[in-house]
Amino acid sequence: MTTPSPETLAAAGLQLDLTGPVATITLDRPDVRNAQTPTMWRALADLGAGLPGDVRVVVVRGNGPAFSAGLDRRLLDPSSIGGEEESVAGLVTLSDAELSATIDAYQRGFTFLRDPRFVSVAAVHGYAIGAGFQLALACDLRVLSSDAQLSMKEAALGLVPDLTGTKPLVESVGYARALEICATARMVGADEAVRIGLALAAVPTEQLDSTVADLVQALVAPLPGAVTEIKTLLQGADERDLETQRRLEREAQVRRFREMAALAGGR
């Protein structure tokens, strides 16, 4: 599958830049603080499915004053958006099976960021609310600007986070803190996010791009197969017993030795 055209991505409020092994995905609806829509989620899923095989790092960022203010609230009122965009309010007219399948399609715009082929990095500045927070959580690593404000706002709307954010949140901060963050819908500032394990670092806004660029450079330095194997090993490691994890480590290392030997023999 090929990546969507620039025109298709632009219509969904997205930009894609491919520079060598690095893909940068930019949320590009700055006039509404990169509020998200079902069209955007479906385009993200298509974009992820069509990324070239040589991509090793995916950076997700937002254009304008915020990473993403979350769901475009106009989608809660079908009369305010016309017929060009799916209405979230209209989901209630679907059967349970249809509604579940629709949410599954939306979730695929987030899950591709966990693909072991590459490491995903969220560069977060300003607000990352609701779906914006979940998009950042879908990435493997998060770097924040000092003005970043994160919030899982769904509970305030009577909803639950359903764009794959609950698992990485618990993995990052533990059950009790994750429950408190979700149930209260409060803001988490950049310094707290680093302290509780949500982010690698919080840096001044003017240093965010350079900090992420340095991280990306470090991530593409090792041989690609090694990073892919490491990401695969670490995903779900806390849910495996030691014997299973040891076996997977051995199997991965055998593959690495064989690939390294093949590369040496080809010289």
Side-chain angles (χ1 to χ4, degrees), residues 75-97:
L75 300 177
L76 298 174
D77 177 8
S79 65
S80 67
I81 59 172
E84 296 182 1
E85 179 62 74
E86 295 177 61
S87 163
V88 174
L91 293 176
V92 297
T93 65
L94 303 176
S95 69
D96 287 358

Side-chain angles (χ1 to χ4, degrees), residues 25-40:
I25 300 170
T26 302
L27 308 187
D28 191 25
R29 303 184 73 212
D31 54 322
V32 289
R33 297 189 179 186
N34 299 317
Q36 298 179 33
T37 67
T39 295
M40 180 183 286

Side-chain angles (χ1 to χ4, degrees), residues 237 240-251:
R240 303 185 194 110
D241 60 51
L242 178 59
E243 290 306 307
T244 301
Q245 190 70 8
R246 288 199 313 130
R247 174 179 58 79
L248 293 174
E249 288 176 358
R250 294 194 301 270
E251 293 170 354

Side-chain angles (χ1 to χ4, degrees), residues 163-188:
L163 295 171
T164 78
T166 55
K167 180 175 173 62
L169 183 61
V170 171
E171 290 172 342
S172 296
V173 305
Y175 163 76
R177 180 63 70 196
L179 175 60
E180 181 262 336
I181 288 172
C182 290
T184 65
R186 71 174 178 88
M187 291 288 186
V188 178

